[in-house]
Amino acid sequence: MSSSYLASSSFDAVRRFRRFCCLAALISFGLLISDLCFGQQHSANQEKSDSSKPKASQQQGESKKTDAVKKKKTGFYSPLRRKKQNKLPVENPKEDPRVFLDPKGERPDVPMDLKKLDDLPIELMQKEEPRGVIPPEMKKAPKNAAANVGDKPVENGKRLDPNVAPVLLADSPEAKAAFNELPRSARTHLENVVFPALQSGDYGGFVAGMEALVSKQKPETVESIDQYCLQIGLGTLQRHLADTFARSVEMGMSVDRKMSPAFVEYLASGVVDAVNRELEELADHPMMQNPLALPDDWRDSEQLFWEVHVWKNRFNNLGQIIQMANLIQQPLLDRATRSNDQEAVNRMQQRIFQFLDVKMQFKELREREAELRIRELAKAEEVLRLRPDFESELNAAFVLEMHGGALKQFFTENPPEKNQRVRLSDPGVLTECAELLASGRKHGKDVIEKAILLRTGAHWWLRGRYGVASMACGLLKPPAAMKNPALMFGLFMPKDRPQAIGFIDSETGTESTGYARRHYYTWAVERRDVGRERGSRGFGEAETTTKVTGTDATHFW
Amino acid sequence: MSQYEKTTTQPVLNVIKKSIADVDKTIPYRLVGSYEYGKSLEAFTRLLAISKAEELPIYDKILNDRPEFTYFNGAHTALPNRPNLRQADPFQREQFYDSFQREGMAWMMALARVELGATMSMYGNSKAPFHAISTSDYDIEAYVQVLADDAVAHMKSLAQESGFDKVTKRGRPIDTWTLAYLRRLKLIRDMLASLQAIGNAEVKVRIAPYDKQLARYEKRLMKEVYAQTRPQYQVDSVTETKKGRDVNYRVSQSAIEDCETSVESKSGGSGGSPRGRLKSNNAVTLN
């Protein structure tokens, strides 16, 4: 990297020279314009301007219309707005001196050779689309672009992989035919409002667009639109709407309950499908299999408990989503009850009963977790009693304290008589756990404090490094955190174990200096925004905090 | 540069009291990392106090088993001197890049100290923020390495960014960008000062060129700031010489505070979205 500063003594001279160049350019441009206006090329330009006038006015009309639609107030508010992208030049890897070529002049397959980098790229916090950032693949494709559903297949109803970037308005004959079968008003609305909002991550705009679409179109048309979106690999708009709703609730956004009945029905069914997808995913988890098996290696069991912890958070979020969905649905249910519309009442009641499945699954998960904790507690007590080596004692001591505390909390909330699983409903389980805990503490009293301090320090370090708050693109906690300990503590954390940004750009294989510190960005905390940086000139311009390459989005770690 | 530029064309002499002045003073506490790294250092420091020397490698072994406790450091100071890897095979390249991985409790503590020191430098009143956070023999070496690398990284980034050029344009009104760059220059200045005090000879040699470069940046920015706020500025340690006043262009905390009072308040200026009201439960509602 080379520095590009100018000596202060010549800085003014350069400034004056720049001004002179600008002035000269302005004069030249003026002369050119006058020449064009009064010269022989006047007639040709006149033809061009005449032919372009209808298009210009048409575009102007469309842009006004789009602006008018965008200004419409919505039920959700998204703090993220589409920002002007940083126009950094895309570097040609073959010409980039930082790409290390082999003697034959061919670009080596760097990411494949560097095995330690197989775990790159870093995944998003909740495997969702980058917020407010447009990967290049998601930009509207030119009309001649062939249909492309991305590298990974998108199955019906499954969540769209954020790394897959479908091309909207695909040019395949089948997709085109399906799109043309839709009513004209629906097509216009999709092209001008819904798809752009979805692409740009504008939650509020997307929800408003969907509400307008669902309210004004027939149910059969809405169904056709969803089928079309499935066909082009986007996934149904109903699923996207449910995901947007879920995300908004998780972020604490208020919801406008004045929604049309058709839209409420559409949204509620989408939420039910989303809930069912979550339950199906949980059913496949090793924790829910029979018989319940404890991993042999302590690292595997740690990973398992970490995943359970993530699932519990997901269930908490799911509970809030369901509660909000019930609130939205309630006016409709009341109206149907008053008007004796038994079919509608049954339909909505069934949704509520389906939501109750979540509670039962959550309880099942917690009981299984508690059972595994008891087994881990017994193993830890045995290690502390036998004392093989300091490392094992440290791990066992931490496990003892962690599981002991968690089991105490569990049995306080769920006494044995309220549990379904046989192991936990045994009246003697409380005594057993207490005895194990006491024995472990007695044998390991000299290592317990060290184990707790080590894990506590590491845990806080992890939060400091990877935690994301709610303001200033994740850098700043809200002002209320000064008075509310929960807000001071609360942070969004990565769902999967995060890893630091490496030195090789996983996409291009070029060298990157992208590893980051918080103070690289907090100096301009008032001006933080989400932007897109491509290439590896440095750790980014002042405005950007989130770096997005073609396949992954990373925060500032 | 920003959508707020149109609202900051008022003369700086018309000082507008910031409506969020009270909120701004909480920024160092609300920055993610301040509380967390502080708690982390608290635990690790206590752990060091009660542990024996032979136990420390065991802690490192436990932490090194987890990739999330690994980070990278050293590239910004080392890259210009890297070996020619164009002809190197992938294994050699892998070895070279892996050499920048840092793991272990000492490095974790070092990073935490640097981040805390940076927060105190940018938003606190400490005159020597990187000295205020005391180190121990256990992590002093790592601390110096991280500090040096981060200081160099800031300097290199300043050289490449267009933002600094825009901020130092003649006649550009003071706004939050000016404030941000003042803060940044102060951060780098504090880093270099700390390195001069605690770094070894090699580190001092490595950072020496950046000291002069930083002075030039400071002068560029402060000249523009003084040009607009000279009647109100209390210049830090102005030296009276026979030829006249020799103005010190060092960015000081008092300069930053003066600049803060000159900047017009904006809704959500302490961070977050420019629209919407933030409620105490962190819910955002539409205006």
Side-chain angles (χ1 to χ4, degrees), chain A residues 437-512:
Chain A
L437 192 60
S439 172
R441 282 175 174 169
K442 177 187 160 189
H443 291 104
K445 59 185 174 184
D446 53 340
V447 291
I448 286 178
E449 186 185 4
K450 292 172 187 172
I452 292 174
L453 285 172
L454 178 67
R455 295 299 185 108
T456 303
H459 173 75
W460 280 112
W461 190 91
L462 203 66
R463 295 182 74 81
R465 181 117 174 98
Y466 297 107
V468 175
S470 56
M471 291 175 63
C473 286
L475 293 171
L476 204 62
K477 298 172 188 173
M482 296 301 296
K483 296 179 182 175
N484 188 337
L487 287 177
M488 179 59 78
F489 176 81
L491 291 171
F492 291 102
M493 293 295 292
K495 193 174 72 167
D496 300 316
R497 287 177 179 269
Q499 292 190 29
I501 296 175
F503 267 100
I504 299 289
D505 188 323
S506 58
E507 191 181 275
T508 63
T510 57
E511 179 188 301
S512 165

Coordinates of all heavy atoms in Angstrom, one line a residue, chain A residues 437-512:
Chain A
L437 N -23.6 -32.3 43.1 CA -23.1 -31.0 43.1 C -22.2 -30.8 44.4 O -21.1 -30.2 44.3 CB -24.2 -29.9 43.1 CG -23.8 -28.5 42.8 CD1 -23.2 -28.3 41.5 CD2 -25.1 -27.6 42.9
A438 N -22.7 -31.2 45.5 CA -21.9 -31.0 46.8 C -20.6 -31.8 46.7 O -19.5 -31.3 47.1 CB -22.8 -31.5 47.9
S439 N -20.7 -33.0 46.2 CA -19.5 -33.9 46.1 C -18.4 -33.2 45.2 O -17.2 -33.2 45.5 CB -19.9 -35.3 45.6 OG -18.7 -36.0 45.4
G440 N -18.9 -32.8 44.0 CA -18.0 -32.1 43.1 C -17.3 -30.9 43.6 O -16.1 -30.7 43.4
R441 N -18.1 -30.1 44.3 CA -17.5 -28.9 44.9 C -16.5 -29.2 46.0 O -15.5 -28.5 46.2 CB -18.7 -28.0 45.5 CG -19.4 -27.3 44.4 CD -20.6 -26.5 45.0 NE -21.2 -25.7 43.9 CZ -22.4 -25.1 44.1 NH1 -23.1 -25.2 45.2 NH2 -22.9 -24.4 43.1
K442 N -16.8 -30.3 46.7 CA -15.9 -30.6 47.8 C -14.5 -31.1 47.2 O -13.5 -30.7 47.7 CB -16.5 -31.7 48.6 CG -15.7 -32.3 49.8 CD -16.4 -33.5 50.4 CE -15.3 -34.3 51.1 NZ -15.9 -35.6 51.6
H443 N -14.5 -31.9 46.2 CA -13.3 -32.4 45.7 C -12.6 -31.4 44.8 O -11.3 -31.5 44.6 CB -13.6 -33.7 44.8 CG -14.0 -34.8 45.7 ND1 -15.3 -35.3 45.7 CD2 -13.3 -35.7 46.5 CE1 -15.4 -36.3 46.5 NE2 -14.2 -36.6 47.0
G444 N -13.3 -30.5 44.2 CA -12.7 -29.6 43.2 C -12.6 -28.1 43.7 O -12.7 -27.2 42.9
K445 N -12.6 -27.9 45.0 CA -12.8 -26.5 45.5 C -11.6 -25.6 45.1 O -11.8 -24.4 45.0 CB -12.9 -26.5 47.0 CG -11.7 -27.1 47.8 CD -12.0 -27.2 49.2 CE -10.9 -27.9 49.9 NZ -11.1 -28.1 51.4
D446 N -10.5 -26.2 44.8 CA -9.3 -25.3 44.4 C -9.3 -25.0 42.9 O -8.5 -24.1 42.5 CB -8.0 -25.9 44.8 CG -7.9 -27.4 44.3 OD1 -9.0 -28.0 44.0 OD2 -6.8 -27.9 44.2
V447 N -10.1 -25.6 42.1 CA -10.1 -25.3 40.7 C -11.4 -24.7 40.2 O -11.4 -24.1 39.1 CB -9.9 -26.6 39.8 CG1 -8.5 -27.2 40.0 CG2 -10.9 -27.6 40.1
I448 N -12.4 -24.7 41.1 CA -13.7 -24.2 40.6 C -13.6 -22.7 40.3 O -14.1 -22.2 39.3 CB -14.8 -24.5 41.6 CG1 -15.1 -26.0 41.6 CG2 -16.0 -23.7 41.4 CD1 -16.2 -26.4 42.5
E449 N -13.0 -21.9 41.2 CA -12.9 -20.5 41.0 C -12.2 -20.2 39.7 O -12.5 -19.3 38.9 CB -12.3 -19.8 42.2 CG -12.4 -18.3 42.0 CD -11.6 -17.5 43.1 OE1 -11.0 -18.2 44.0 OE2 -11.7 -16.3 43.1
K450 N -11.1 -20.9 39.5 CA -10.3 -20.7 38.3 C -11.0 -21.0 37.0 O -11.0 -20.3 36.0 CB -9.0 -21.5 38.3 CG -8.0 -21.1 39.4 CD -6.9 -22.1 39.6 CE -6.0 -21.7 40.8 NZ -5.0 -22.7 41.1
A451 N -11.8 -22.1 37.1 CA -12.5 -22.5 35.9 C -13.6 -21.4 35.6 O -13.8 -21.1 34.4 CB -13.2 -23.9 36.1
I452 N -14.3 -21.0 36.6 CA -15.3 -20.0 36.4 C -14.7 -18.7 35.9 O -15.3 -18.1 34.9 CB -16.1 -19.7 37.7 CG1 -16.9 -21.0 38.0 CG2 -17.0 -18.5 37.5 CD1 -17.6 -20.9 39.4
L453 N -13.6 -18.3 36.4 CA -13.0 -17.0 36.0 C -12.5 -17.1 34.5 O -12.7 -16.2 33.7 CB -11.8 -16.6 36.9 CG -12.2 -16.1 38.2 CD1 -10.9 -15.9 39.1 CD2 -12.8 -14.7 38.1
L454 N -12.0 -18.3 34.2 CA -11.5 -18.4 32.8 C -12.7 -18.4 31.8 O -12.6 -17.7 30.8 CB -10.8 -19.8 32.7 CG -10.3 -20.2 31.3 CD1 -9.2 -19.2 30.9 CD2 -9.8 -21.6 31.2
R455 N -13.7 -19.1 32.1 CA -14.9 -19.1 31.2 C -15.6 -17.8 31.2 O -16.1 -17.4 30.2 CB -15.8 -20.2 31.6 CG -15.3 -21.6 31.5 CD -14.9 -22.0 30.1 NE -14.5 -23.4 29.9 CZ -15.2 -24.3 29.3 NH1 -16.3 -24.0 28.7 NH2 -14.7 -25.5 29.3
T456 N -15.7 -17.1 32.4 CA -16.3 -15.8 32.4 C -15.6 -14.8 31.6 O -16.2 -14.1 30.8 CB -16.4 -15.4 33.9 OG1 -17.1 -16.3 34.6 CG2 -17.2 -14.0 33.9
G457 N -14.3 -14.8 31.7 CA -13.5 -13.9 31.0 C -13.6 -14.1 29.5 O -13.7 -13.2 28.7
A458 N -13.6 -15.4 29.1 CA -13.7 -15.7 27.7 C -15.1 -15.4 27.1 O -15.2 -14.9 26.0 CB -13.4 -17.2 27.5
H459 N -16.1 -15.6 28.0 CA -17.4 -15.3 27.5 C -17.6 -13.8 27.3 O -18.1 -13.4 26.3 CB -18.4 -15.8 28.6 CG -19.8 -15.4 28.3 ND1 -20.6 -16.0 27.3 CD2 -20.6 -14.4 28.8 CE1 -21.8 -15.4 27.3 NE2 -21.8 -14.5 28.2
W460 N -17.2 -13.0 28.2 CA -17.3 -11.6 28.0 C -16.4 -11.1 26.8 O -16.8 -10.2 26.1 CB -16.9 -10.8 29.3 CG -17.9 -10.8 30.4 CD1 -17.9 -11.4 31.6 CD2 -19.2 -10.1 30.3 NE1 -19.1 -11.2 32.3 CE2 -19.9 -10.4 31.5 CE3 -19.8 -9.3 29.4 CZ2 -21.1 -9.8 31.8 CZ3 -21.0 -8.7 29.7 CH2 -21.7 -9.0 30.9
W461 N -15.3 -11.7 26.7 CA -14.4 -11.3 25.5 C -15.2 -11.6 24.2 O -15.1 -10.8 23.3 CB -13.1 -12.1 25.6 CG -12.1 -11.6 24.6 CD1 -11.1 -10.7 24.9 CD2 -11.9 -12.1 23.3 NE1 -10.3 -10.6 23.7 CE2 -10.8 -11.4 22.8 CE3 -12.5 -13.0 22.5 CZ2 -10.3 -11.6 21.5 CZ3 -12.1 -13.2 21.2 CH2 -10.9 -12.5 20.7
L462 N -15.8 -12.7 24.2 CA -16.6 -13.1 23.0 C -17.7 -12.1 22.7 O -17.9 -11.7 21.6 CB -17.2 -14.5 23.2 CG -17.5 -15.3 22.0 CD1 -16.3 -15.7 21.2 CD2 -18.2 -16.6 22.4
R463 N -18.4 -11.7 23.8 CA -19.4 -10.7 23.6 C -18.9 -9.4 23.1 O -19.4 -8.7 22.3 CB -20.2 -10.5 24.9 CG -21.0 -11.7 25.3 CD -21.8 -11.4 26.6 NE -22.9 -10.6 26.3 CZ -24.1 -11.1 25.8 NH1 -24.2 -12.4 25.6 NH2 -25.1 -10.3 25.6
G464 N -17.7 -9.0 23.7 CA -17.1 -7.7 23.2 C -16.6 -7.8 21.8 O -16.7 -6.8 21.1
R465 N -16.2 -8.9 21.4 CA -15.7 -9.0 20.0 C -16.8 -9.2 19.0 O -16.7 -8.6 17.9 CB -14.7 -10.3 20.0 CG -14.1 -10.5 18.6 CD -12.6 -10.3 18.7 NE -12.0 -10.6 17.4 CZ -11.6 -9.7 16.5 NH1 -11.8 -8.5 16.7 NH2 -11.1 -10.1 15.4
Y466 N -17.8 -10.0 19.3 CA -18.7 -10.4 18.2 C -20.1 -9.8 18.5 O -21.0 -10.0 17.7 CB -18.8 -11.9 18.1 CG -17.5 -12.5 17.6 CD1 -16.7 -13.2 18.5 CD2 -17.1 -12.4 16.3 CE1 -15.5 -13.8 18.0 CE2 -15.9 -12.9 15.8 CZ -15.1 -13.6 16.7 OH -14.0 -14.2 16.3
G467 N -20.3 -9.2 19.6 CA -21.7 -8.7 20.0 C -22.1 -7.6 19.1 O -21.3 -6.7 18.7
V468 N -23.4 -7.6 18.8 CA -23.9 -6.5 17.9 C -25.1 -5.9 18.7 O -26.0 -6.6 19.1 CB -24.4 -7.1 16.6 CG1 -25.0 -6.0 15.7 CG2 -23.2 -7.6 15.8
A469 N -25.1 -4.6 18.8 CA -26.2 -3.9 19.5 C -27.2 -3.4 18.4 O -27.2 -3.8 17.3 CB -25.6 -2.7 20.3
S470 N -28.0 -2.5 18.9 CA -29.2 -2.1 18.1 C -29.0 -0.8 17.4 O -29.8 -0.4 16.6 CB -30.4 -2.1 18.9 OG -30.3 -1.3 20.0
M471 N -28.0 0.0 17.7 CA -27.8 1.3 17.1 C -26.5 1.4 16.4 O -25.5 0.7 16.7 CB -27.9 2.4 18.2 CG -29.3 2.5 18.8 SD -29.4 3.7 20.1 CE -28.9 5.2 19.3
A472 N -26.4 2.4 15.6 CA -25.2 2.7 14.9 C -24.6 1.5 14.2 O -23.4 1.2 14.4 CB -24.2 3.3 15.8
C473 N -25.5 0.8 13.5 CA -25.1 -0.5 12.8 C -24.4 -1.5 13.8 O -23.4 -2.1 13.4 CB -24.1 -0.1 11.7 SG -25.0 0.5 10.3
G474 N -24.9 -1.5 15.0 CA -24.4 -2.6 15.9 C -23.4 -2.1 16.8 O -23.0 -2.9 17.7
L475 N -22.9 -0.9 16.7 CA -21.8 -0.5 17.5 C -22.2 0.1 18.8 O -21.4 0.2 19.7 CB -20.9 0.6 16.7 CG -20.2 0.1 15.5 CD1 -19.6 1.2 14.7 CD2 -19.1 -0.9 15.9
L476 N -23.4 0.5 18.9 CA -23.9 1.3 20.1 C -25.1 0.8 20.7 O -26.0 0.4 20.0 CB -24.1 2.8 19.6 CG -24.0 3.9 20.6 CD1 -22.6 4.0 21.2 CD2 -24.4 5.2 19.9
K477 N -25.1 0.7 22.0 CA -26.4 0.3 22.7 C -27.3 1.5 22.8 O -26.9 2.6 22.8 CB -26.0 -0.3 24.1 CG -25.1 -1.5 24.0 CD -24.6 -1.9 25.4 CE -23.6 -3.0 25.3 NZ -22.9 -3.3 26.6
P478 N -28.6 1.2 23.1 CA -29.5 2.4 23.2 C -29.2 3.2 24.5 O -28.6 2.7 25.4 CB -30.9 1.7 23.3 CG -30.6 0.3 23.7 CD -29.2 -0.1 23.2
P479 N -29.7 4.4 24.5 CA -29.4 5.3 25.7 C -30.0 4.7 26.9 O -29.5 4.9 28.0 CB -30.1 6.6 25.3 CG -30.2 6.6 23.8 CD -30.3 5.2 23.4
A480 N -31.1 4.0 26.8 CA -31.7 3.4 28.0 C -30.9 2.3 28.6 O -31.1 1.9 29.8 CB -33.1 2.7 27.6
A481 N -29.8 1.9 28.0 CA -28.9 0.9 28.6 C -28.2 1.5 29.8 O -27.7 0.7 30.6 CB -27.9 0.4 27.5
M482 N -28.2 2.8 29.9 CA -27.5 3.4 31.0 C -28.3 3.1 32.3 O -27.7 3.2 33.4 CB -27.3 4.9 30.8 CG -26.4 5.3 29.7 SD -24.8 4.6 29.8 CE -24.2 5.5 31.3
K483 N -29.6 2.9 32.2 CA -30.4 2.7 33.4 C -31.0 1.3 33.4 O -31.5 0.9 34.5 CB -31.6 3.7 33.4 CG -31.1 5.1 33.5 CD -32.3 6.1 33.4 CE -31.8 7.5 33.5 NZ -32.9 8.5 33.3
N484 N -30.9 0.6 32.4 CA -31.5 -0.8 32.3 C -30.4 -1.8 32.1 O -29.8 -1.9 31.1 CB -32.5 -0.8 31.1 CG -33.3 -2.1 31.2 OD1 -32.9 -3.1 31.7 ND2 -34.4 -2.1 30.5
P485 N -30.1 -2.6 33.2 CA -29.0 -3.6 33.0 C -29.3 -4.6 31.9 O -28.3 -5.1 31.3 CB -29.0 -4.3 34.4 CG -29.7 -3.4 35.3 CD -30.7 -2.6 34.5
A486 N -30.5 -4.9 31.7 CA -30.8 -5.9 30.6 C -30.4 -5.4 29.3 O -29.9 -6.1 28.4 CB -32.3 -6.2 30.6
L487 N -30.6 -4.1 29.1 CA -30.2 -3.5 27.8 C -28.7 -3.3 27.7 O -28.1 -3.4 26.6 CB -30.9 -2.1 27.6 CG -32.4 -2.2 27.3 CD1 -32.9 -0.8 27.2 CD2 -32.7 -2.9 26.0
M488 N -28.1 -3.1 28.8 CA -26.6 -3.0 28.8 C -26.0 -4.4 28.5 O -25.0 -4.5 27.9 CB -26.1 -2.5 30.2 CG -24.6 -2.4 30.3 SD -23.9 -1.3 29.2 CE -24.2 0.3 29.9
F489 N -26.6 -5.4 29.0 CA -26.1 -6.7 28.7 C -26.5 -7.3 27.4 O -25.7 -8.0 26.7 CB -26.6 -7.7 29.8 CG -26.2 -9.1 29.6 CD1 -24.9 -9.6 30.0 CD2 -27.1 -10.0 29.1 CE1 -24.5 -10.9 29.8 CE2 -26.7 -11.4 28.9 CZ -25.4 -11.8 29.2
G490 N -27.7 -7.0 26.9 CA -28.3 -7.6 25.7 C -27.5 -7.3 24.5 O -27.3 -6.1 24.1
L491 N -27.2 -8.3 23.7 CA -26.5 -8.1 22.4 C -27.0 -9.2 21.5 O -27.3 -10.3 21.9 CB -25.0 -8.1 22.5 CG -24.3 -7.0 23.3 CD1 -22.8 -7.4 23.5 CD2 -24.4 -5.7 22.5
F492 N -27.0 -8.9 20.2 CA -27.2 -9.9 19.2 C -25.8 -10.7 19.1 O -24.8 -10.0 18.8 CB -27.6 -9.4 17.9 CG -29.0 -8.8 17.9 CD1 -29.2 -7.4 17.9 CD2 -30.1 -9.6 17.8 CE1 -30.4 -6.9 17.9 CE2 -31.3 -9.1 17.8 CZ -31.5 -7.7 17.9
M493 N -25.9 -12.0 19.2 CA -24.6 -12.8 19.0 C -24.8 -13.7 17.8 O -25.9 -14.1 17.5 CB -24.4 -13.6 20.3 CG -24.1 -12.7 21.5 SD -22.5 -11.8 21.4 CE -21.3 -13.1 21.4
P494 N -23.7 -14.1 17.2 CA -23.7 -15.0 16.1 C -24.3 -16.3 16.5 O -24.1 -16.8 17.6 CB -22.3 -15.2 15.7 CG -21.6 -14.0 16.3 CD -22.3 -13.6 17.5
K495 N -25.1 -16.9 15.7 CA -25.8 -18.1 16.0 C -24.8 -19.3 16.0 O -24.8 -20.2 16.8 CB -26.9 -18.4 14.9 CG -27.8 -19.5 15.3 CD -29.0 -19.6 14.3 CE -28.5 -20.2 13.0 NZ -29.6 -20.6 12.1
D496 N -23.9 -19.2 15.0 CA -22.8 -20.3 14.9 C -21.5 -19.7 15.5 O -21.4 -18.5 15.7 CB -22.6 -20.7 13.5 CG -23.9 -21.3 12.9 OD1 -24.5 -22.1 13.6 OD2 -24.2 -20.9 11.7
R497 N -20.6 -20.6 15.8 CA -19.4 -20.2 16.4 C -18.6 -19.3 15.4 O -18.3 -19.7 14.3 CB -18.5 -21.4 16.7 CG -19.0 -22.1 17.9 CD -18.1 -23.4 18.1 NE -18.5 -24.1 19.3 CZ -18.1 -23.9 20.5 NH1 -17.1 -23.0 20.7 NH2 -18.5 -24.7 21.5
P498 N -18.4 -18.0 15.7 CA -17.8 -17.1 14.7 C -16.3 -17.3 14.6 O -15.7 -17.9 15.5 CB -18.1 -15.7 15.3 CG -18.2 -16.0 16.8 CD -18.7 -17.4 17.0
Q499 N -15.8 -16.9 13.5 CA -14.3 -16.9 13.3 C -13.9 -15.6 12.8 O -14.6 -14.9 12.1 CB -14.0 -18.0 12.3 CG -14.2 -19.4 12.9 CD -13.6 -20.5 12.0 OE1 -12.6 -20.2 11.3 NE2 -14.3 -21.6 11.9
A500 N -12.7 -15.3 13.2 CA -12.1 -14.0 12.8 C -11.9 -14.0 11.2 O -11.7 -15.0 10.6 CB -10.8 -13.7 13.5
I501 N -12.0 -12.8 10.7 CA -11.7 -12.7 9.2 C -10.3 -13.0 9.0 O -9.4 -12.6 9.6 CB -12.0 -11.2 8.8 CG1 -13.5 -10.9 9.0 CG2 -11.6 -11.0 7.3 CD1 -13.8 -9.5 8.7
G502 N -10.1 -13.9 8.0 CA -8.8 -14.3 7.6 C -8.1 -13.4 6.6 O -8.6 -12.3 6.4
F503 N -7.1 -13.8 6.1 CA -6.3 -13.0 5.2 C -6.6 -13.2 3.7 O -6.2 -12.5 2.9 CB -4.8 -13.2 5.4 CG -4.3 -12.2 6.4 CD1 -4.1 -12.6 7.7 CD2 -4.0 -10.9 6.0 CE1 -3.6 -11.6 8.6 CE2 -3.6 -10.0 6.9 CZ -3.4 -10.4 8.2
I504 N -7.3 -14.4 3.4 CA -7.5 -14.6 2.0 C -9.0 -14.4 1.8 O -9.9 -14.9 2.5 CB -7.2 -16.1 1.7 CG1 -5.8 -16.4 2.0 CG2 -7.7 -16.4 0.3 CD1 -4.8 -15.8 1.0
D505 N -9.3 -13.6 0.8 CA -10.7 -13.3 0.4 C -11.2 -14.6 -0.1 O -10.7 -15.1 -1.1 CB -10.7 -12.2 -0.6 CG -12.1 -11.8 -0.9 OD1 -13.0 -12.6 -1.0 OD2 -12.3 -10.6 -1.1
S506 N -12.2 -15.2 0.5 CA -12.6 -16.5 0.1 C -13.2 -16.5 -1.3 O -13.2 -17.6 -2.0 CB -13.7 -17.0 1.1 OG -14.8 -16.2 1.1
E507 N -13.6 -15.4 -1.8 CA -14.2 -15.4 -3.1 C -13.2 -15.3 -4.2 O -13.2 -16.1 -5.2 CB -15.2 -14.2 -3.2 CG -16.0 -14.2 -4.5 CD -16.9 -13.0 -4.5 OE1 -18.0 -13.1 -3.9 OE2 -16.6 -12.1 -5.1
T508 N -12.3 -14.4 -4.1 CA -11.3 -14.2 -5.1 C -10.0 -14.8 -4.9 O -9.1 -14.9 -5.7 CB -11.0 -12.7 -5.3 OG1 -10.5 -12.1 -4.1 CG2 -12.4 -12.0 -5.6
G509 N -9.7 -15.3 -3.6 CA -8.5 -15.8 -3.3 C -7.4 -14.8 -3.2 O -6.2 -15.1 -3.1
T510 N -7.7 -13.5 -3.2 CA -6.7 -12.5 -3.1 C -6.5 -12.2 -1.6 O -7.2 -12.5 -0.7 CB -7.2 -11.2 -3.8 OG1 -8.4 -10.8 -3.2 CG2 -7.4 -11.5 -5.2
E511 N -5.3 -11.6 -1.4 CA -4.9 -11.2 -0.1 C -5.8 -10.1 0.4 O -6.1 -9.1 -0.3 CB -3.5 -10.8 -0.1 CG -2.9 -10.3 1.2 CD -1.6 -9.7 1.0 OE1 -0.7 -10.4 0.5 OE2 -1.4 -8.5 1.4
S512 N -6.2 -10.2 1.6 CA -7.1 -9.2 2.2 C -6.5 -8.7 3.5 O -6.0 -9.4 4.3 CB -8.5 -9.8 2.4 OG -9.3 -8.9 3.2

